[in-house]
Amino acid sequence: MTKLAALAAALLASTALPASAQEISDGVVKIGILNDQSGVYADFGGRWSFEAAKMAVEDFGGTVKGAKVEVVTADHQNKPDVASNIARQWYDTEQVDAIMELTTSSVALAVQGLSKEKNKIDIVTGAATTELTGKQCSPYGFHWAYDTHALAVGTGGALVKQGGDSWFFLTADYAFGYSLEEQTSNYVKANGGTVLGSVRHPLSTTDYSSFLLQAQASGAKVVGMANAGLDTANAVKQAAEFGIVASGQRLAALLFTLAEVHGLGLEAAQGLSLTEGFYWDRDDQSRAFSQRFFERTQRMPNMIQAGTYSAVLQYLKAIDKVGTDATEPVAKALHEMPVDDVFGRGGKVGANGRLIYDMYLMEVKTPAESTKPWDYYKVLATVPGAQAYLDPAKSGCPLAAAAQ
């Protein structure tokens, strides 16, 4: 090759690489919001998470690197097989680039496994199990809003310190419930408490009488509800009918959000301890964001919906940074970029894909303490991210171990 030809080849390579780096597949960035929109978790995330995702796209400007951003959604009905079929169709035929939200741990684990196989990014905001960033972690999988360890440290830890040192669990009979019970049990025992027993109930059950009677008979100081959504709300209502709180036992709603408090009402929910990663009335920035969300949904966001907003926004920022929606560089950017928005202020992503940011211990106000619509929480304490979440190196994720 002559010197002139070699120079021409070098110039061609130097101009071709940046052009390639700027490519957006199919000229469109498509994000899928896959969650429960008709079942027990419909208010937990549901169509409100879809609205939060669209809001993030609009706030980003509607395009990234000149490509249009689209958001699609579907109801997975809390069934892993349904979710996997939808995700596979999205990836294989509808050119979806990333799937997010994924309420229900069994669903999230299934879709994260498929996403890894398909070399696609998933960002979970609606599921809780630490397995997502533990043994079943993925180089393209991220866990954004909360997990069972954070809930155990927040709600469980607070009640043990307040004298609630004996527990009995009402546990949803699937991966999320098992993980939440295990994490909270470990934390209770590590702080000198005891676990007197547990009982498992089917997802979406309506009659908790036999389960509550077992909890009552245990004599435990705290009845820990390792469930979520309407399951928790219905259990709390029926616990009042059995006089569980009146008899001196305390209810711990281990996963309860603003949406469920609103649905249950302050009269029934007052005094519950819970942990969330976002509260709309925390400060001026959260109030401004939440008011915009309210104007389009007629409700204030919980941590799942605000977390979905943050996840979509960060994903678009990563694409903008690397100039492509190709999975490998975007995943690398998501691991490296700090998270600093209305949801995850001062957050960082660990080597296992876990967003580490501060959580908040809340207590539900009494009706007399509430002074305005959606004024439901007292913020009792901030749980620092490093305390709320497992050290990535100790999470069981092979990727984090390799990064040491």
Side-chain angles (χ1 to χ4, degrees):
M1 182 181 288
T2 66
K3 290 184 177 180
L4 184 59
L7 179 60
L11 287 172
L12 180 60
S14 68
T15 55
L17 286 173
S20 175
Q22 296 294 324
E23 287 183 359
I24 301 296
S25 61
D26 307 305
V28 176
V29 172
K30 188 177 287 189
I31 300 167
I33 303 300
L34 184 57
N35 61 11
D36 176 12
Q37 299 178 13
S38 58
V40 66
Y41 301 135
D43 277 349
F44 184 72
R47 57 195 176 101
W48 318 115
S49 289
F50 179 47
E51 287 298 324
K54 292 191 294 182
M55 189 173 167
V57 172
E58 292 166 14
D59 287 353
F60 195 79
T63 64
V64 57
K65 293 300 180 185
K68 180 182 178 182
V69 181
E70 294 181 1
V71 184
V72 297
T73 190
D75 181 357
H76 61 46
Q77 304 171 45
N78 294 311
K79 298 176 181 178
D81 58 336
V82 172
S84 295
N85 287 338
I86 293 170
R88 191 178 298 276
Q89 180 179 333
W90 276 358
Y91 287 149
D92 290 348
T93 66
E94 298 183 28
Q95 291 77 51
V96 168
D97 298 293
I99 296 178
M100 304 185 192
E101 221 270 40
L102 295 169
T103 299
T104 313
S105 292
S106 54
V107 163
L109 288 168
V111 174
Q112 178 158 290
L114 176 65
S115 299
K116 181 179 180 181
E117 174 191 323
K118 296 289 185 179
N119 196 41
K120 297 285 188 176
I121 285 172
D122 70 278
I123 307 180
V124 176
T125 58
T129 179
T130 53
E131 282 295 293
L132 288 160
T133 51
K135 293 179 181 177
Q136 298 190 51
C137 67
S138 162
Y140 317 125
F142 299 85
H143 201 178
W144 219 250
Y146 71 104
D147 63 25
T148 50
H149 186 271
L151 299 176
V153 170
T155 309
L159 293 183
V160 171
K161 291 175 183 177
Q162 292 174 14
D165 56 6
S166 62
W167 286 63
F168 185 95
F169 289 93
L170 259 66
T171 302
D173 193 10
Y174 72 105
F176 152 70
Y178 311 152
S179 181
L180 184 52
E181 178 187 331
E182 180 184 16
Q183 294 279 348
T184 308
S185 295
N186 290 342
Y187 200 82
V188 167
K189 293 173 184 176
N191 285 270
T194 58
V195 176
L196 302 182
S198 66
V199 62
R200 292 176 176 176
H201 67 79
L203 181 67
S204 304
T205 193
T206 56
D207 184 2
Y208 290 86
S209 57
S210 65
F211 310 124
L212 289 167
L213 285 172
Q214 291 180 62
Q216 195 170 39
S218 74
K221 294 179 182 178
V222 180
V223 178
M225 297 188 178
N227 48 23
L230 287 177
D231 280 340
T232 307
N234 288 332
V236 170
K237 287 180 184 177
Q238 292 177 37
E241 296 170 5
F242 280 93
I244 286 180
V245 175
S247 67
Q249 288 178 297
R250 187 164 187 175
L251 297 180
L254 295 171
L255 177 51
F256 213 52
T257 75
L258 194 75
E260 290 75 55
V261 173
H262 181 71
L264 190 57
L266 290 181
E267 189 65 42
Q270 61 183 304
L272 284 174
S273 296
L274 56 92
T275 301
E276 281 212 60
F278 178 85
Y279 182 41
W280 76 269
D281 203 20
R282 182 177 62 195
D283 56 28
D284 288 344
Q285 186 182 5
S286 62
R287 281 188 284 272
F289 164 77
S290 299
Q291 184 58 42
R292 291 195 297 118
F293 184 85
F294 182 87
E295 288 168 0
R296 63 195 293 157
T297 64
Q298 301 305 299
R299 61 195 296 121
M300 291 299 183
N302 64 6
M303 67 175 170
I304 312 306
Q305 293 135 15
T308 301
Y309 173 91
S310 172
V312 171
L313 197 64
Q314 193 74 359
Y315 176 66
L316 296 177
K317 289 178 180 177
I319 293 174
D320 188 59
K321 177 182 179 180
V322 300
T324 176
D325 61 353
T327 296
E328 296 286 351
V330 171
K332 185 173 185 293
L334 285 169
H335 277 285
E336 295 174 348
M337 294 166 56
V339 178
D340 195 13
D341 53 34
V342 70
F343 175 80
R345 295 179 200 167
K348 62 180 181 179
V349 176
N352 60 346
R354 172 69 257 176
L355 172 62
I356 300 169
Y357 75 112
D358 294 347
M359 300 288 284
Y360 302 92
L361 175 65
M362 315 285 197
E363 183 176 281
V364 179
K365 291 183 175 182
T366 67
E369 290 172 323
S370 180
T371 61
K372 57 189 175 183
W374 295 90
D375 178 25
Y376 295 158
Y377 289 164
K378 292 182 285 188
V379 180
L380 299 182
T382 298
V383 184
Q387 177 183 339
Y389 295 103
L390 285 166
D391 180 343
K394 299 177 181 179
S395 65
C397 172
L399 300 170
Q404 295 302 302

